[in-house]
Amino acid sequence: ATAAAKVWEPLQEVSSDGSSKPSSQNPASSARPVRGAQWTMDIMSAAQRSALMSRISSKNTGPELVLRRLLHAAGYRYGVHGVLPARQVAQLRAAHPGIPLRGGKLPGSPDLVFSARRKAIFVNGCFWHGHDCPVGQRRPASNTGYWNPKLDANIARTSAIAIAWRHLAGNR
């Protein structure tokens, strides 16, 4: 690797037999940054990171699938991703004209919908929705100009969805 590509010089070398020894390149500078190198938190290029992030889905996540399996095994039947039968959509639009039902979906597109019981479940990640737990309260320290507005908008959208749901529940 070139000096510009390396951020830190190696602390130790590992030989072919698996034993380690101090670096023989320059033992005096074993933990210093390389001059002229630029610090980067990511080991991928921007194009690689973009391709990886584009494959992350917001539907059918691991926690959602676990919950769906548990509920199905317990005998509950449900719809997924907020889709309702057309008749129920028409009834809701007539009863609540101020609540947007885009594409026949409930506000916020809940992960599980129990239409006969008039209940829904959202499976929200703590980090993305700013929950009151250690994971939800931690914000990234780098690139705060991007992350803080994004996470604040998620929290505001979650609050607006909760208000729409309270309105739906209050006017049965």
Side-chain angles (χ1 to χ4, degrees), residues 99 107 156-170:
I99 296 178
R157 187 170 44 254
T158 301
S159 297
I161 290 167
I163 291 168
W165 275 94
R166 280 189 214 107
H167 187 267
L168 277 175

Side-chain angles (χ1 to χ4, degrees), residues 71-169:
L71 291 171
H72 193 271
Y76 291 98
R77 299 301 177 253
Y78 48 82
V80 293
H81 310 307
V83 178
L84 289 175
R87 186 179 62 211
Q88 282 186 326
V89 172
Q91 291 171 348
L92 281 174
R93 282 196 172 124
H96 307 284
I99 296 178
L101 299 173
R102 294 183 181 93
K105 293 184 176 185
L106 290 167
S109 295
D111 297 301
L112 302 173
V113 178
F114 302 89
S115 57
R117 291 179 169 83
R118 296 178 54 99
K119 305 286 183 208
I121 296 176
F122 291 86
V123 181
N124 290 339
C126 295
F127 172 77
W128 297 107
H129 296 273
H131 295 163
D132 291 330
C133 67
V135 174
Q137 294 302 309
R138 185 187 175 285
R139 296 257 178 136
S142 62
N143 202 8
T144 56
Y146 171 78
W147 283 108
N148 286 336
K150 180 175 184 62
L151 296 175
D152 290 340
N154 285 352
I155 293 167
R157 187 170 44 254
T158 301
S159 297
I161 290 167
I163 291 168
W165 275 94
R166 280 189 214 107
H167 187 267
L168 277 175

Side-chain angles (χ1 to χ4, degrees), residues 33-99:
V34 174
R35 187 180 302 241
Q38 203 168 11
W39 175 256
T40 178
M41 294 288 290
D42 208 345
I43 60 172
M44 296 183 186
S45 70
Q48 290 172 323
R49 176 63 60 196
S50 178
L52 179 71
M53 295 302 285
S54 71
R55 290 191 298 269
I56 296 174
S57 177
S58 62
K59 296 180 179 178
N60 301 321
T61 62
E64 181 184 339
L65 292 175
V66 167
L67 180 63
R68 282 167 43 182
R69 284 186 199 109
L70 289 171
L71 291 171
H72 193 271
Y76 291 98
R77 299 301 177 253
Y78 48 82
V80 293
H81 310 307
V83 178
L84 289 175
R87 186 179 62 211
Q88 282 186 326
V89 172
Q91 291 171 348
L92 281 174
R93 282 196 172 124
H96 307 284
I99 296 178

